[in-house]
């Protein structure tokens, strides 16, 4: 098996393979270290907004989390610990970006090439490339003309000294609201360009006390109970997002109070107050974002950016703000998680062509036309309310069950039946149309056609239930190659 990506998903897959006694696999990772999103996102203030006791593997509890919400270095440290404890280093090929993985029909093997010229062949391919790994650059004219420093939040340039500089930040999403408070005290002046304000709630963070850590170590069952309590508390939030979106008014009331407490200036309060239902975009958590906006060296700019010049940003009214650096907190290509040419299925079909009408998969994992390909954190498996680690553990269990089913049935290749896949997605989209995410705002959850292709429409327990068994009858052995393809292969 070839696993692409050594983030939480790829590492989980590798651990479960090893535990099942399967050792003939490799993990190809484009970055210089394992960690995935927690390696790529090293911006100041980077942290997780799901509690660490839940945002970690169920089978590898860490009694030593220092805070309720883990900081990026601590989460990366946890991943390093997993690599070491489960002996994954020999299976890792770092700084190896996959340039093409193509399914060879006659051989029923995936042929995989990396940018360092290496070639591999494997019957099974796992794409654990992450839903939020391709930075999205804003479509603002002149972006490439800027002559100062410019970088995306997921490609932070730690060598660039921000101290004393005039800095523009574009975007006010989950990333920006974390790094803006972290850099504001150091920069000369910060201009924060907001297109749409997010709903923000207080962040119930705290240190985990020495007593609690001792307790978790001494009686691991206490940590399991703690994790379960966190899980069910977060799980209950699915009610607001997917069952009764009108309950979102309670979130809005709390968020409005948070604004009043954090910002004294009525004009500024108005600018940061969203005009769409809470939950439509991701609800964010922060205690230091609003106070940062009160700083004398921070300006919130809500006028649309017309263009970027060599020296700064020009507003719709023609006024130019000159800056030394621009930081793009503009998010990720969540609805186009894979670039063209990288995953090529049966009959030379590129996965981006297969997805030209929007990304979709069966249970977020299998795509028709792509035999023996399993996607982790795939289409419609993201969450607005709970830990994605729960989802990916369910996916890995499903893949393991699929491998066992292949072994038992003796078939060399399996491909999801197109009708099964289409039926699954029709049902999914019908449900998504009734959720808060379809209430009319622009968000990264929706693709260009306005379809929600990123989030799971209900409770995570339901996803767990639906993925607990790999049903062979949902799959078929791929059709034999067309004569032309056969000739080509010969
Ligand atoms: P994001 O939520 O997609 O935010 C992107 C921001 O950039 C939005 O404010 C967006 O405005 C703005 N933007 C995009 N294009 C623009 C343009 N052309 N002109 C002006 N503004 C533009 O991205 P993110 O903050 O990187 O977060 C992405 C996701 O990653 C999160 O939702 C979350 O799932 C995950 N994440 C989690 C954490 C955490 O756990 N704490 C931290 C970071 C990221 P509009 O709203 O108007 O589109």
């Amino acid at each position: 098996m070839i696993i692409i990506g050594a983030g939480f998903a790829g590492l989980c897959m590798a651990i479960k393979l090893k535990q099942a006694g399967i050792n003939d696999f490799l993990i190809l990772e484009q970055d210089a270290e394992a960690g995935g999103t927690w390696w790529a996102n090293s911006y100041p203030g980077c942290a997780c907004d799901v509690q660490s006791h839940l945002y970690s593997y169920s089978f590898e509890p860490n009694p030593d989390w220092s805070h309720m919400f883990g900081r990026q270095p601590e989460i990366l440290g946890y991943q390093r610990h997993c690599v070491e404890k489960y002996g994954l280093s020999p299976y890792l090929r770092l700084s190896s970006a996959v340039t093409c993985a193509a399914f060879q029909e006659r051989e029923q093997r995936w042929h995989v090439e990396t940018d360092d010229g290496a070639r591999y062949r494997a019957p099974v391919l796992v794409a654990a490339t992450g839903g939020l790994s391709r930075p999205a650059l804003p479509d603002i004219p002149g972006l490439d003309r800027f002559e100062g420093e410019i970088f995306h939040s997921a490609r932070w340039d730690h060598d660039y000294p921000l101290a004393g500089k005039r800095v523009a930040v574009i975007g006010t999403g989950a990333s920006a609201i974390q790094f803006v408070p972290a850099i504001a005290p150091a920069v000369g002046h910060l201009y924060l360009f907001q297109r749409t304000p997010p709903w923000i709630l207080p962040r119930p963070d705290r240190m985990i006390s020495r007593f609690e850590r001792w307790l978790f170590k001494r009686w691991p069952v206490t940590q399991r109970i703690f994790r379960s309590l966190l899980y069910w508390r977060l799980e209950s939030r699915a009610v607001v997002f997917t069952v009764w979106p009108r309950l979102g008014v309670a979130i809005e009331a709390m968020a409005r109070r948070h604004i009043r407490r954090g910002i004294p200036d009525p004009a500024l309060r108005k600018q940061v107050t969203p005009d769409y239902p809470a939950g439509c975009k991701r609800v964010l958590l922060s205690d230091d974002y609003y106070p940062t906006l009160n700083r004398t060296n921070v300006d919130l700019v809500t006028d649309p950016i017309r263009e970027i010049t060599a020296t700064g940003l020009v507003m719709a009214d023609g006024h130019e703000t000159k800056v030394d650096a621009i930081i793009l907190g503009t998010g990720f290509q969540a609805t186009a998680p894979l670039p063209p040419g990288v995953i090529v299925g049966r009959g030379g079909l590129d996965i981006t062509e297969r997805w030209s009408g929007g990304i979709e998969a069966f249970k977020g994992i299998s795509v028709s036309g792509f035999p023996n390909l399993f996607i982790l954190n795939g289409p419609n498996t993201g969450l607005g309310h709970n830990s994605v680690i729960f989802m990916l553990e369910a996916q890995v269990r499903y893949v393991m069950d699929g491998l066992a089913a292949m072994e038992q049935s003796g078939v060399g290749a399996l491909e999801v039946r197109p009708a099964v896949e289409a039926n699954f997605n029709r049902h999914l989209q019908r449900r998504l149309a009734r959720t808060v995410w379809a209430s009319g705002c622009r968000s990264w959850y929706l693709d260009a056609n306005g379809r929600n292709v990123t989030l799971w429409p209900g409770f995570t327990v339901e996803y767990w239930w639906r993925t607990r068994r790999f049903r062979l009858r949902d799959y078929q052995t791929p059709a034999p190659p067309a004569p032309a393809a056969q000739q080509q292969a010969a």
Side-chain angles (χ1 to χ4, degrees):
M1 183 189 281
I2 298 276
I3 302 168
I4 313 177
F8 264 111
L11 296 180
C12 183
M13 189 72 244
I15 292 169
K16 291 297 161 188
L17 284 172
K18 275 199 83 183
Q19 285 178 338
I22 302 172
N23 291 303
D24 47 354
F25 67 89
L26 279 181
I27 316 171
L28 306 177
E29 168 55 55
Q30 63 181 358
D31 289 329
E33 212 192 295
T37 201
W38 298 102
W39 164 258
N41 287 273
S42 61
Y43 59 78
C46 183
C48 188
D49 58 12
V50 174
Q51 290 87 342
S52 290
H53 282 93
L54 190 57
Y55 193 88
S56 44
Y57 299 130
S58 60
F59 54 83
E60 186 55 35
N62 169 20
D64 280 322
W65 290 115
S66 65
H67 289 76
M68 288 295 279
F69 295 92
R71 279 52 172 164
Q72 178 261 345
E74 198 174 2
I75 299 171
L76 192 59
Y78 171 82
Q79 292 175 306
R80 284 180 181 142
H81 156 82
C82 291
V83 169
E84 199 177 302
K85 173 167 172 182
Y86 292 95
L88 301 182
S89 293
Y91 301 88
L92 276 169
R93 297 290 176 275
L94 299 170
S95 304
S96 266
V98 171
T99 47
C100 182
F103 187 72
Q104 227 290 341
E105 288 175 64
R106 261 184 348 130
E107 280 179 47
Q108 299 201 323
R109 290 278 182 284
W110 283 93
H111 285 211
V112 181
E113 290 175 26
T114 55
D115 59 353
D116 51 6
R119 287 159 186 257
Y120 307 91
R121 279 189 315 171
V124 178
L125 182 71
V126 171
T129 48
L132 298 171
S133 54
R134 300 179 71 207
L137 303 183
D139 49 357
I140 303 173
L143 190 68
D144 50 351
R145 258 186 284 144
F146 184 64
E147 286 174 3
E149 174 77 3
I150 181 163
F151 55 85
H152 187 274
S153 58
R155 302 284 183 270
W156 198 272
D157 183 353
H158 291 277
D159 293 331
Y160 180 75
L162 284 167
K165 297 282 174 22
R166 291 166 64 84
V167 178
V169 171
I170 304 180
T172 51
S175 303
I177 70 149
Q178 291 186 332
F179 69 73
V180 163
I183 64 171
V187 303
H189 204 96
L190 194 151
Y191 299 92
L192 177 57
F193 291 88
Q194 169 191 282
R195 189 164 67 179
T196 318
W199 285 107
I200 304 179
L201 290 176
R203 188 161 177 256
D205 195 21
R206 63 170 178 84
M207 300 265 288
I208 308 281
S209 70
R210 277 176 55 188
F211 171 70
E212 287 167 300
R213 292 194 229 173
W214 172 83
L215 196 67
F216 294 153
K217 252 185 248 170
R218 182 76 179 76
W219 284 292
V221 67
T222 57
Q223 191 175 354
R224 281 204 293 278
I225 293 170
F226 188 55
R227 181 183 168 99
S228 298
L229 290 174
L230 286 171
Y231 171 79
W232 287 109
R233 200 168 85 200
L234 298 197
E235 186 70 340
S236 67
R237 302 196 298 195
V239 175
V240 182
F241 298 141
T242 63
V243 186
W244 288 303
R246 263 185 283 161
L247 289 180
V249 291
I251 298 179
E252 289 170 23
M254 278 188 282
R256 284 207 172 86
R257 194 165 58 226
H258 196 40
I259 294 173
R260 285 197 298 276
R261 286 194 180 150
I263 298 178
D265 174 13
L268 188 54
R269 279 182 186 169
K270 200 158 169 248
Q271 283 177 308
V272 299
T273 305
D275 62 358
Y276 56 87
C280 186
K281 283 170 179 291
R282 194 177 168 91
V283 176
L284 310 182
L285 305 179
S286 174
D287 290 333
D288 50 8
Y289 176 66
Y290 289 141
T292 301
L293 301 185
N294 300 325
R295 294 180 63 95
T296 51
N297 72 334
V298 174
D299 280 332
L300 182 76
V301 188
T302 54
D303 296 336
I305 306 166
R306 191 178 76 194
E307 62 172 316
I308 293 177
T309 63
T311 50
L313 300 92
V314 181
M315 304 294 94
D317 63 4
H319 170 76
E320 184 182 3
T321 304
K322 289 193 188 297
V323 292
D324 304 305
I326 300 177
I327 307 177
L328 306 171
T330 44
F332 301 88
Q333 301 180 51
T335 57
L338 291 163
V342 173
I343 306 254
V344 180
R346 227 162 25 82
L349 180 66
D350 193 303
I351 202 157
T352 58
E353 278 170 46
R354 166 66 184 75
W355 282 342
S356 58
I359 61 170
E360 61 178 14
F362 176 57
K363 301 187 182 183
I365 302 172
S366 305
V367 183
S368 56
F370 296 78
N372 292 6
L373 168 71
F374 296 104
I375 303 177
L376 303 181
N377 283 325
N380 290 107
T381 63
L383 298 176
H385 74 284
N386 208 333
S387 172
V388 286
I389 309 275
F390 179 88
M391 299 292 274
L392 74 85
E393 282 192 36
Q395 289 153 19
V396 168
R397 226 176 2 247
Y398 182 85
V399 176
M400 293 303 294
D401 208 28
L403 295 181
M406 275 170 84
E407 183 104 355
Q408 276 160 19
S409 61
V411 294
L414 282 179
E415 177 185 335
V416 66
R417 292 178 188 277
V420 170
E421 184 188 23
N423 199 28
F424 175 86
N425 282 301
R426 238 191 331 270
H427 178 65
L428 207 71
Q429 288 303 326
R430 263 206 304 270
R431 288 176 62 185
L432 281 161
R434 296 192 295 265
T435 62
V436 70
W437 306 306
S439 59
C441 70
R442 165 178 46 197
S443 78
W444 62 258
Y445 300 153
L446 311 181
D447 67 9
N449 306 317
R451 273 187 354 140
N452 186 330
V453 292
T454 53
L455 295 189
W456 177 246
F459 292 90
T460 62
V461 249
E462 183 199 336
Y463 186 76
W464 168 83
W465 178 257
R466 282 171 172 252
T467 51
R468 80 200 182 287
R469 284 213 210 316
F470 184 94
R471 287 192 319 192
L472 213 44
R473 67 171 182 275
D474 292 332
Y475 290 78
Q476 61 189 11
T477 45
Q486 251 171 349
Q487 264 170 18
Q488 228 176 25

